[in-house]
Amino acid sequence: MLTKRQNFLETIHGGKPDRFVKQYEALHLLMTPAYQAQNPIGVNSRGPAPGGEAVNSWGVTIKFVEGHPGPFPLHDDAHKVVKDITKWKSVVKMPRTDYPASDWEQYVKIAGAVDRENVFCTVGYFCGLFEQTHYLMGIDDCLAAFYEEPEAMHELVEFITEYELKYAEGVCKYLKPDALFHHDDWGTQISTFMSPAMFDEFYLDSYKKVYAYYKSHGVEIIVHHSDSYAATLVPQMIEMGVDVFQGCTTQNNVPDLVKKYGGKISFMGDLNNGVLDKGDWTKELVRSEVERACRNNGKLYYIPCLTMGGPGSTFPGVYEAVNEEIDRMSKELF
């Protein structure tokens, strides 16, 4: 029987996996001191607890409204960091990345305990280049600024890219990860936030720099999370060095993507949280959706997974039920 790591590699490289990869089983996620400052609640937290709020290292106020699936930035006039994109340099300050070795100790210890023969030691990066841009100013202002003030937007994106590269230096020096799990939501359920041409203009080169840095420093696998429609950006993902597009919702027509791009990139998702991860979820619905996804996408270049950007689910039991059904489909199809 292949290890989880071996089975993952066989799947994404078109080899001979002996079962479906079970969601995030092959990725052991860990964080960094800079990430903790960016999300100042705890080592493994992505922000404030339900009902709370916090200001992160970029000066963005994050609030977790009770009853919502996660925390979001506040963009009313009192909290928006960038109110005039032409004056962004006066208000946006780069968070520190020069953490001493002592601050890395607890993370190095966690990384050292990862069984790298069985799983990938995977560093997580949340709030990527596009998300960081609109976290600072709000999604409406951000999208308008691409048209109205492209020069200032190019400068801001380059500034955020510089931060990501400095962040990567510490990660690769101290943690030496095998894989990167990078978040950046690029679309809604029906479309991307920008055209491929606009994405190319503002983000493609930056992502090529960031992902090239990680790959030149020992990172074997890059998983990019965007739980949205992003089918029209798959060629860009391939060009920037993404190995796995995680979060690909059913609206992407994942079986078609597997047929068209399998061998150049793999797909991890096609089990929408909006369909399965809800208060009235049932095992019957989970069974039906997992079977559909596994049969339609096949054994290679596809990993059945909830589209959420990390192991777990909003409602208790959903993630585990999906795993059980993936095991069932492995017995049937392998």
Side-chain angles (χ1 to χ4, degrees), residues 32 104 122-126 161 163-173 175-182 206-222 240-241:
T32 71
W104 285 91
T122 309
V123 69
Y125 190 95
F126 300 87
T161 304
Y163 170 77
E164 280 219 31
L165 289 169
K166 290 182 177 179
Y167 180 100
E169 287 182 23
V171 166
C172 295
K173 176 181 179 180
L175 302 184
K176 299 176 176 56
D178 308 309
L180 172 69
F181 182 56
H182 194 287
S206 288
Y207 261 111
K208 288 168 71 173
K209 291 177 184 176
V210 171
Y211 288 164
Y213 183 91
Y214 279 103
K215 287 211 165 181
S216 68
H217 287 76
V219 170
E220 182 177 355
I221 299 296
I222 290 177
M240 65 178 68

Coordinates of all heavy atoms in Angstrom, one line a residue, residues 32 104 122-126 161 163-173 175-182 206-222 240-241:
T32 N 3.4 30.1 10.7 CA 4.7 30.8 10.9 C 4.5 31.9 11.9 O 3.3 32.3 12.1 CB 5.2 31.3 9.6 OG1 4.4 32.4 9.2 CG2 5.3 30.3 8.5
W104 N 11.0 31.4 15.9 CA 10.7 30.3 15.0 C 10.8 29.0 15.7 O 10.3 28.0 15.1 CB 11.7 30.3 13.8 CG 11.4 31.3 12.7 CD1 12.0 32.6 12.7 CD2 10.6 31.2 11.6 NE1 11.5 33.3 11.6 CE2 10.7 32.4 10.9 CE3 9.8 30.2 11.1 CZ2 9.9 32.7 9.7 CZ3 9.1 30.4 9.9 CH2 9.2 31.6 9.2
T122 N 3.8 21.0 5.0 CA 3.1 22.0 4.1 C 2.9 23.3 4.9 O 2.3 23.4 5.9 CB 1.8 21.5 3.7 OG1 1.9 20.2 3.1 CG2 1.1 22.5 2.7
V123 N 3.5 24.4 4.4 CA 3.3 25.7 5.0 C 2.1 26.3 4.3 O 1.9 26.2 3.1 CB 4.6 26.6 4.9 CG1 4.8 27.0 3.4 CG2 4.5 27.8 5.7
G124 N 1.3 27.0 5.2 CA 0.1 27.6 4.7 C 0.3 29.1 4.5 O 1.0 29.7 5.4
Y125 N -0.2 29.7 3.5 CA -0.2 31.2 3.3 C -1.6 31.6 2.9 O -2.1 31.2 1.9 CB 0.8 31.6 2.2 CG 1.0 33.1 2.2 CD1 2.0 33.7 2.9 CD2 0.1 34.0 1.6 CE1 2.2 35.1 3.0 CE2 0.2 35.3 1.6 CZ 1.3 35.9 2.3 OH 1.4 37.3 2.4
F126 N -2.2 32.4 3.8 CA -3.5 32.8 3.6 C -3.6 34.3 3.3 O -2.8 35.1 3.8 CB -4.4 32.5 4.9 CG -4.4 31.1 5.2 CD1 -3.3 30.5 6.0 CD2 -5.3 30.2 4.7 CE1 -3.3 29.1 6.3 CE2 -5.3 28.9 5.0 CZ -4.3 28.3 5.8
T161 N 3.8 41.8 -3.2 CA 4.7 40.8 -3.7 C 6.0 40.8 -3.0 O 6.5 39.7 -2.6 CB 4.9 40.9 -5.2 OG1 3.7 41.0 -5.9 CG2 5.7 39.8 -5.8
Y163 N 6.6 41.7 0.0 CA 6.4 41.1 1.3 C 6.3 39.6 1.3 O 6.9 38.9 2.1 CB 5.1 41.7 1.9 CG 4.7 40.9 3.2 CD1 5.3 41.2 4.4 CD2 3.7 39.9 3.2 CE1 5.0 40.5 5.6 CE2 3.4 39.2 4.3 CZ 4.0 39.5 5.5 OH 3.7 38.8 6.6
E164 N 5.5 39.1 0.3 CA 5.4 37.6 0.2 C 6.8 37.0 0.0 O 7.1 35.9 0.5 CB 4.5 37.2 -1.0 CG 3.0 37.4 -0.6 CD 2.2 36.2 -1.2 OE1 2.7 35.1 -1.3 OE2 1.0 36.5 -1.5
L165 N 7.7 37.6 -0.8 CA 9.0 37.0 -1.1 C 9.8 37.1 0.2 O 10.6 36.1 0.5 CB 9.7 37.8 -2.2 CG 9.1 37.5 -3.6 CD1 9.6 38.5 -4.6 CD2 9.3 36.1 -4.0
K166 N 9.7 38.2 1.0 CA 10.5 38.2 2.2 C 9.9 37.2 3.2 O 10.7 36.5 4.0 CB 10.4 39.6 2.8 CG 11.2 40.7 2.1 CD 11.0 42.0 2.7 CE 11.9 43.1 2.0 NZ 11.8 44.4 2.6
Y167 N 8.6 37.0 3.2 CA 8.0 36.0 4.1 C 8.5 34.6 3.7 O 8.8 33.8 4.5 CB 6.5 36.1 3.8 CG 5.6 35.1 4.6 CD1 5.0 35.5 5.8 CD2 5.4 33.8 4.2 CE1 4.1 34.6 6.5 CE2 4.6 32.9 4.9 CZ 3.9 33.4 6.0 OH 3.1 32.5 6.7
A168 N 8.6 34.4 2.4 CA 9.1 33.1 1.9 C 10.5 32.8 2.3 O 10.9 31.6 2.6 CB 9.0 33.0 0.4
E169 N 11.3 33.8 2.4 CA 12.7 33.6 2.8 C 12.8 32.9 4.2 O 13.5 32.0 4.4 CB 13.4 34.9 2.9 CG 13.8 35.5 1.5 CD 14.6 36.8 1.7 OE1 15.2 37.0 2.7 OE2 14.5 37.6 0.7
G170 N 12.0 33.5 5.2 CA 12.0 32.9 6.5 C 11.5 31.5 6.5 O 12.0 30.6 7.2
V171 N 10.4 31.3 5.8 CA 9.8 30.0 5.7 C 10.7 28.9 5.2 O 10.9 27.9 5.8 CB 8.5 30.0 4.8 CG1 8.0 28.6 4.5 CG2 7.4 30.8 5.5
C172 N 11.4 29.2 4.1 CA 12.3 28.2 3.5 C 13.6 28.1 4.4 O 14.1 27.0 4.4 CB 12.6 28.7 2.1 SG 11.2 28.6 1.0
K173 N 14.0 29.1 5.0 CA 15.2 29.0 5.8 C 15.0 28.1 7.1 O 15.8 27.3 7.4 CB 15.7 30.4 6.3 CG 16.9 30.4 7.2 CD 17.3 31.8 7.6 CE 18.4 31.8 8.6 NZ 18.8 33.2 9.0
L175 N 11.8 26.4 8.1 CA 10.8 25.2 8.1 C 11.2 24.2 7.0 O 10.8 23.1 7.1 CB 9.4 25.7 7.9 CG 8.9 26.7 9.0 CD1 7.5 27.0 8.8 CD2 9.1 26.2 10.4
K176 N 11.8 24.7 5.9 CA 12.1 23.8 4.8 C 11.0 23.0 4.4 O 11.0 21.7 4.4 CB 13.4 23.0 5.1 CG 14.6 23.8 5.5 CD 15.8 23.0 5.9 CE 17.0 23.8 6.1 NZ 16.8 24.9 7.1
P177 N 9.8 23.6 4.0 CA 8.6 22.8 3.7 C 8.8 22.0 2.3 O 9.6 22.4 1.5 CB 7.6 23.9 3.5 CG 8.3 25.1 3.1 CD 9.6 25.0 3.8
D178 N 8.0 21.0 2.2 CA 7.9 20.2 1.0 C 6.8 20.7 0.1 O 6.8 20.5 -1.1 CB 7.6 18.7 1.3 CG 8.5 18.1 2.3 OD1 9.7 18.2 2.2 OD2 7.9 17.5 3.3
A179 N 5.8 21.4 0.7 CA 4.7 21.9 -0.1 C 4.2 23.2 0.4 O 4.5 23.6 1.6 CB 3.5 20.8 0.0
L180 N 3.6 24.0 -0.5 CA 3.0 25.3 -0.1 C 1.5 25.2 -0.4 O 1.1 24.7 -1.5 CB 3.6 26.4 -1.0 CG 3.0 27.8 -0.9 CD1 3.2 28.4 0.5 CD2 3.5 28.7 -2.0
F181 N 0.7 25.6 0.6 CA -0.8 25.7 0.4 C -1.1 27.2 0.5 O -1.1 27.8 1.5 CB -1.5 24.9 1.5 CG -3.0 24.9 1.4 CD1 -3.6 24.5 0.2 CD2 -3.8 25.4 2.4 CE1 -5.0 24.5 0.1 CE2 -5.1 25.4 2.3 CZ -5.7 24.9 1.1
H182 N -1.4 27.8 -0.7 CA -1.5 29.2 -0.8 C -2.9 29.6 -1.2 O -3.5 29.2 -2.2 CB -0.5 29.7 -1.9 CG -0.3 31.2 -1.9 ND1 -1.2 32.1 -2.4 CD2 0.8 31.9 -1.6 CE1 -0.8 33.3 -2.3 NE2 0.5 33.2 -1.8
S206 N 3.8 38.5 -10.7 CA 4.1 38.4 -9.3 C 4.0 37.0 -8.8 O 4.8 36.5 -8.0 CB 3.1 39.3 -8.6 OG 3.5 40.7 -8.7
Y207 N 3.0 36.3 -9.2 CA 2.8 34.9 -8.8 C 3.9 34.0 -9.3 O 4.4 33.1 -8.7 CB 1.4 34.3 -9.2 CG 0.5 34.4 -8.0 CD1 -0.6 35.3 -8.1 CD2 0.7 33.6 -6.9 CE1 -1.5 35.4 -7.0 CE2 -0.2 33.7 -5.8 CZ -1.3 34.6 -5.9 OH -2.1 34.6 -4.8
K208 N 4.4 34.3 -10.5 CA 5.5 33.5 -11.1 C 6.7 33.7 -10.2 O 7.5 32.7 -10.0 CB 5.7 33.9 -12.5 CG 4.7 33.4 -13.5 CD 4.8 34.0 -14.9 CE 6.0 33.6 -15.6 NZ 6.0 34.1 -17.0
K209 N 6.9 34.9 -9.7 CA 8.1 35.2 -8.9 C 8.0 34.4 -7.5 O 8.9 33.8 -7.1 CB 8.2 36.7 -8.6 CG 8.6 37.5 -9.8 CD 8.7 39.0 -9.5 CE 9.0 39.8 -10.6 NZ 8.9 41.3 -10.3
V210 N 6.8 34.5 -6.9 CA 6.6 33.9 -5.6 C 6.7 32.4 -5.7 O 7.4 31.8 -4.9 CB 5.2 34.3 -5.0 CG1 4.9 33.5 -3.8 CG2 5.2 35.8 -4.7
Y211 N 6.0 31.8 -6.6 CA 6.0 30.4 -6.7 C 7.4 29.8 -7.2 O 7.8 28.7 -6.7 CB 4.9 29.9 -7.6 CG 3.5 30.0 -6.9 CD1 2.3 29.9 -7.7 CD2 3.4 30.2 -5.6 CE1 1.1 30.1 -7.1 CE2 2.2 30.3 -5.0 CZ 1.0 30.3 -5.7 OH -0.2 30.4 -5.1
A212 N 8.0 30.6 -8.0 CA 9.4 30.2 -8.4 C 10.4 30.2 -7.3 O 11.3 29.3 -7.2 CB 9.9 31.1 -9.6
Y213 N 10.2 31.2 -6.4 CA 11.1 31.2 -5.2 C 10.9 30.0 -4.4 O 11.9 29.3 -4.0 CB 10.8 32.5 -4.4 CG 11.7 32.6 -3.2 CD1 12.9 33.3 -3.3 CD2 11.5 31.9 -2.0 CE1 13.8 33.4 -2.3 CE2 12.4 32.0 -0.9 CZ 13.6 32.7 -1.1 OH 14.5 32.8 0.0
Y214 N 9.7 29.6 -4.1 CA 9.5 28.4 -3.2 C 10.0 27.2 -3.9 O 10.7 26.3 -3.3 CB 8.0 28.2 -3.0 CG 7.4 29.1 -1.9 CD1 6.7 30.2 -2.1 CD2 7.7 28.8 -0.5 CE1 6.2 31.0 -1.1 CE2 7.2 29.5 0.5 CZ 6.4 30.7 0.2 OH 6.0 31.5 1.2
K215 N 9.8 27.0 -5.2 CA 10.2 25.8 -5.9 C 11.8 25.8 -6.0 O 12.4 24.7 -6.0 CB 9.6 25.7 -7.3 CG 8.1 25.3 -7.2 CD 7.6 24.5 -8.4 CE 6.3 23.9 -8.1 NZ 5.8 23.0 -9.2
S216 N 12.4 26.9 -6.0 CA 13.9 26.9 -6.1 C 14.5 26.7 -4.7 O 15.7 26.6 -4.6 CB 14.4 28.3 -6.7 OG 14.1 29.3 -5.8
H217 N 13.6 26.7 -3.7 CA 14.1 26.5 -2.3 C 13.5 25.2 -1.7 O 13.3 25.2 -0.5 CB 13.8 27.7 -1.5 CG 14.7 28.9 -1.8 ND1 14.5 29.7 -2.9 CD2 15.8 29.4 -1.2 CE1 15.4 30.6 -3.0 NE2 16.2 30.5 -1.9
G218 N 13.3 24.2 -2.5 CA 13.0 22.9 -1.9 C 11.5 22.5 -1.9 O 11.2 21.4 -1.5
V219 N 10.6 23.4 -2.3 CA 9.2 23.1 -2.2 C 8.9 22.3 -3.5 O 9.1 22.7 -4.6 CB 8.3 24.4 -2.2 CG1 6.9 24.1 -2.4 CG2 8.5 25.1 -0.8
E220 N 8.3 21.1 -3.3 CA 8.0 20.2 -4.4 C 6.7 20.4 -5.0 O 6.5 20.3 -6.2 CB 8.2 18.7 -3.9 CG 7.9 17.7 -5.0 CD 8.1 16.3 -4.5 OE1 8.5 16.1 -3.3 OE2 7.8 15.3 -5.2
I221 N 5.7 20.7 -4.1 CA 4.3 20.8 -4.6 C 3.7 22.2 -4.2 O 3.8 22.6 -3.0 CB 3.5 19.7 -3.9 CG1 4.0 18.3 -4.3 CG2 2.0 19.8 -4.3 CD1 3.9 18.0 -5.8
I222 N 3.1 22.8 -5.1 CA 2.3 24.0 -4.8 C 0.8 23.8 -5.0 O 0.4 23.4 -6.1 CB 2.8 25.2 -5.7 CG1 4.2 25.6 -5.2 CG2 1.9 26.4 -5.6 CD1 4.9 26.7 -6.1
M240 N 2.3 29.7 -13.8 CA 3.0 30.2 -12.6 C 3.5 29.1 -11.8 O 4.2 29.3 -10.8 CB 2.0 31.1 -11.8 CG 0.8 30.3 -11.3 SD -0.3 31.4 -10.3 CE -1.0 32.5 -11.5
G241 N 3.2 27.8 -12.2 CA 3.8 26.7 -11.5 C 3.0 26.0 -10.4 O 3.5 25.2 -9.6

